[in-house]
Amino acid sequence: MKILHDCRHFPSSQRSSVTIGNFDGLHLGHRQILVDLVRTAAASGTASVVMTFSPHPLQVLHPGKAPKLIIPTEDKIARIGLLGVDYLLLVKFDEELSRLSGEGFIREILVGSLRVQHVFVGHNFVFGHKRSGNVALLEALGREFDYTVHVIPPVAVRGSRVSSTGIRDLIRSGRISQANRLLGRYYTLQGRVVPGQGLGRTVLFPTLNLEAQNEILPGDGVYATLAVFEGKSHTAVTNVGTRPTVAGTGLSVETHLLEHTPEVPPSTLELQFLHRLRNEHKFPSVDDLKKQIAKDIQRSKRFFGLLKRLRREASPWA
């Protein structure tokens, strides 16, 4: 996948199949659009182009209303690349672009720069200055400029419509299993491993302390997780919260590995959240907290044991 930062750098010898959006989280709905885009581009001999923006348009237009991002931009780029897209057009959203009308966007960018042949959008897609562009305008100008608009219907999972807004709410409230279903994968935090207070190794249980680069953290609580580092995945239990029993200072993400404790902690960590075990509580004493953590560890081990058995039973090669 080639990454471009200016529409004018798109090859003049090619026509394109394009989709436009923020694609935050790259959830199941987004992936449906991209799969259809790549398939149609291949069949029509056009280049598949994903056009997205940095920063999020609301950071420029209404900073106070801009959403926290589900995944970092680097992660989004990597996941888009895995879907077979030819070009990622990562456009800087600024005041000049924000003043471009919906019709101007179609004429100057989609037709003028990208020579579009197919456009893929959601049913409620709007764009341009003061949201002056919509699906109806795309279709009307498509007849003039000879391109086809493909409107992708909403994707629902167990009756819940898949949307970035809904997924953000689920993550923040700790409903991580529901969020994972809409994402189509485990919600993941990435970042540096940093020193903690030292209580884990001396008083409680040893932990890896993550300084997450994500803008959204799961709601306070204890989770069954997978810790990925040095190319391997390890079962774990993670606490997200303020550690009220030990007078913690600020929000922390602390992970205890269930089966493997490295002699030297990794410098970076990827943490996949599978299941919420309980809320975070303040216990009467550190000893009571230690007993609860031991129970959390046993619950996590049972969870992973059940998960392993279910996967084995579901495999036709078991």
Side-chain angles (χ1 to χ4, degrees):
M1 182 178 73
K2 296 180 180 179
I3 300 176
L4 305 177
H5 297 278
D6 191 320
C7 304
R8 293 168 293 185
H9 294 163
F10 182 74
S12 59
S13 60
Q14 288 188 299
R15 292 199 69 179
S16 67
S17 294
V18 180
T19 187
I20 310 118
N22 293 299
F23 302 103
D24 184 31
L26 205 66
H27 54 58
L28 289 175
H30 295 146
R31 295 213 291 279
Q32 183 62 60
I33 292 176
L34 298 193
V35 167
D36 289 351
L37 169 76
V38 170
R39 184 185 297 120
T40 298
S44 61
T46 59
S48 55
V49 178
V50 173
M51 184 177 183
T52 190
F53 306 97
S54 182
H56 191 288
L58 285 178
Q59 287 283 8
V60 175
L61 300 174
H62 303 288
K65 297 181 180 179
K68 299 291 185 182
L69 299 182
I70 297 170
I71 58 176
T73 299
E74 295 78 8
D75 190 14
K76 179 172 71 173
I77 291 172
R79 293 182 184 280
I80 290 174
L82 293 174
L83 294 174
V85 171
D86 295 317
Y87 291 90
L88 174 63
L89 190 54
L90 186 59
V91 178
K92 179 181 179 181
F93 192 89
D94 54 20
E95 290 288 347
E96 181 180 357
L97 183 57
S98 73
R99 290 192 294 269
L100 187 62
S101 69
E103 182 170 345
F105 180 87
I106 295 170
R107 292 181 180 273
E108 295 179 27
I109 295 178
L110 292 183
V111 176
S113 295
L114 301 179
R115 290 164 291 284
V116 67
Q117 185 170 325
H118 297 275
V119 181
F120 288 78
V121 293
H123 72 288
N124 58 352
F125 179 67
V126 292
F127 59 101
H129 183 60
K130 294 185 177 180
R131 303 164 68 90
S132 56
N134 54 26
V135 172
L137 180 63
L138 276 171
E139 292 175 334
L141 290 183
R143 291 187 287 272
E144 177 181 346
F145 292 110
D146 191 28
Y147 63 78
T148 302
V149 180
H150 304 259
V151 181
I152 308 301
V155 173
V157 176
R158 297 187 183 181
S160 297
R161 180 175 171 270
V162 180
S163 73
S164 297
T165 299
I167 291 170
R168 290 186 195 103
D169 292 340
L170 290 172
I171 294 170
R172 288 194 188 99
S173 63
R175 291 177 288 173
I176 208 69
S177 297
Q178 296 96 314
N180 289 343
R181 281 197 292 269
L182 304 189
L183 284 168
R185 63 179 186 278
Y186 299 135
Y187 183 64
T188 303
L189 300 181
Q190 300 104 354
R192 296 189 306 124
V193 175
V194 297
Q197 291 180 299
L199 291 174
R201 293 189 180 277
T202 59
V203 179
L204 297 169
F205 294 85
T207 60
L208 299 174
N209 301 282
L210 179 67
E211 184 181 73
Q213 66 187 47
N214 303 62
E215 295 183 6
I216 299 177
L217 296 183
D220 291 2
V222 179
Y223 298 83
T225 56
L226 290 172
V228 183
F229 55 91
E230 298 173 357
K232 294 183 179 180
S233 178
H234 307 274
T235 58
V237 58
T238 297
N239 184 81
V240 178
T242 57
R243 301 164 297 164
T245 305
V246 295
T249 56
L251 192 67
S252 68
V253 181
E254 297 181 322
T255 297
H256 172 72
L257 302 177
L258 299 181
E259 299 171 349
H260 171 71
T261 302
E263 292 185 9
V264 179
S267 58
T268 61
L269 181 66
E270 177 182 299
L271 203 55
Q272 300 174 352
F273 285 74
L274 278 67
H275 176 69
R276 182 183 175 95
L277 297 173
R278 64 172 176 85
N279 295 331
E280 185 182 49
H281 300 294
K282 182 175 181 179
F283 292 89
S285 68
V286 172
D287 188 56
D288 289 321
L289 172 60
K290 188 173 183 177
K291 291 177 182 178
Q292 180 59 54
I293 293 174
K295 293 179 182 178
D296 296 335
I297 290 171
Q298 291 306 312
R299 285 191 63 192
S300 292
K301 288 182 177 179
R302 289 196 296 271
F303 170 81
F304 283 110
L306 176 61
L307 185 64
K308 184 177 181 180
R309 188 172 76 245
L310 291 174
R311 287 175 174 173
R312 186 169 59 246
E313 292 172 353
S315 172
W317 305 106

